[in-house]
Amino acid sequence: MKGLFITFEGPDGSGKSTQIKKLADYLELCQIPYILTREPGGTEISDVIRSLILNPAYVGLTDKTEILLYAASRAQHVKQKIKPSLKEGKIVLCDRFIDASIAYQGYGLGAPIEQVKAINHYASEGLEPDRTYLIDISPESARERMQKRAEKEYNEDLDRIEQRKYAYHRRVREGFKAIRSENKQRICFINGDQSQDDVFKIIQEDFIESLKQFSN
């Protein structure tokens, strides 16, 4: 079977990381070759860049620097990990990809959308996901989830992006909706206010159908 590139997107706190792990567990059970990765990050170099982007101490990081750091992390990730895994016929499950840059840096920060797309098209060598699961949730619900996670699960503070004001996260959410409206064939849009099991049922059923489609 040829490799498949599957991405998970959504506002911070939407539950996408939980759902991508559930799909990874399902692939493991089915003995289907896969890798589970994330952005920013995914390689040693990309993880170093991630630590710069998300560190709350770096308040002086400019919007342009942020855009370029995300793209730099992605360039390394695509070249070193994603494309080789796809070439080996594996399913690549990736927590965030270019849609996130468009939503967070384009719509969220107000950077020119076409410039963000062009930078990331170059960084990714034109690579696009075969299927994307976009989990939608309000900024208020997302912030409540993140705070509970930080306090109880990981005992960490919110990262530099998560700490931004509700107005920013509302723009990000609207950005994801705009991306979905332009890519309805690729994106499976899911209400994140449902239970984890209900969300995964939607993803699992869609994934099975998508697998049949791409296998033909």
Side-chain angles (χ1 to χ4, degrees):
M1 186 182 72
K2 67 175 183 178
L4 287 178
F5 186 27
I6 310 295
T7 59
F8 281 68
E9 299 282 6
D12 291 300
S14 62
K16 60 180 178 50
S17 298
T18 297
Q19 295 300 326
I20 197 171
K21 181 62 168 60
K22 283 180 174 288
L23 185 55
D25 290 343
Y26 174 73
L27 294 179
E28 188 79 30
L29 184 66
C30 296
Q31 297 184 324
I32 298 174
Y34 76 95
I35 65 162
L36 175 59
T37 190
R38 69 176 182 178
E39 290 203 347
T43 72
E44 183 178 358
I45 293 172
S46 300
D47 281 336
V48 172
I49 298 172
R50 176 189 178 90
S51 69
L52 293 173
I53 296 172
L54 300 183
N55 192 329
Y58 297 139
V59 294
L61 198 69
T62 70
D63 293 353
K64 186 177 291 185
T65 302
E66 180 177 311
I67 292 167
L68 294 173
L69 283 174
Y70 270 108
S73 174
R74 180 164 295 128
Q76 186 71 27
H77 191 206
V78 167
K79 188 74 172 182
Q80 184 179 343
K81 191 169 189 176
I82 296 178
K83 281 197 167 182
S85 297
L86 292 172
K87 190 174 181 180
E88 292 171 1
K90 295 178 180 177
I91 292 178
V92 175
L93 302 179
C94 190
D95 190 337
R96 296 207 182 286
F97 197 57
I98 294 175
D99 290 335
S101 288
I102 296 170
Y104 279 84
Q105 283 78 58
Y107 287 89
L109 295 178
I113 303 296
E114 292 306 315
Q115 286 188 19
V116 175
K117 288 181 178 179
I119 289 167
N120 283 282
H121 180 80
Y122 175 70
S124 67
E125 301 178 358
L127 180 65
E128 295 182 358
D130 295 299
R131 191 65 166 156
T132 297
Y133 296 104
L134 173 54
I135 304 173
D136 178 59
I137 192 173
S138 72
E140 292 76 15
S141 296
R143 180 62 59 87
E144 183 179 351
R145 287 185 183 182
M146 288 187 293
Q147 287 175 337
K148 287 181 179 178
R149 180 192 70 190
E151 293 169 3
K152 297 181 180 179
E153 204 168 318
Y154 299 110
N155 194 29
E156 295 177 350
D157 294 328
L158 300 179
D159 67 36
R160 194 178 65 87
I161 308 299
E162 292 170 341
Q163 288 179 0
R164 287 175 173 161
K165 296 180 179 180
Y166 280 128
Y168 168 82
H169 289 285
R170 290 190 187 101
R171 293 194 298 272
V172 170
R173 186 188 190 193
E174 292 308 308
F176 275 125
K177 289 181 178 180
I179 293 166
R180 183 247 182 169
S181 69
E182 296 171 0
N183 299 273
K184 288 185 177 179
Q185 288 188 328
R186 171 172 63 87
I187 294 177
C188 177
F189 188 80
I190 305 165
N191 178 2
D193 288 322
Q194 305 173 76
S195 70
Q196 290 183 4
D197 288 343
D198 286 341
V199 171
F200 183 64
K201 183 179 179 182
I202 295 170
I203 292 171
Q204 184 181 38
E205 291 177 352
D206 179 88
F207 174 77
I208 291 171
E209 288 303 312
S210 297
L211 197 60
K212 292 177 183 176
Q213 174 187 339
F214 289 114
S215 296
N216 291 331

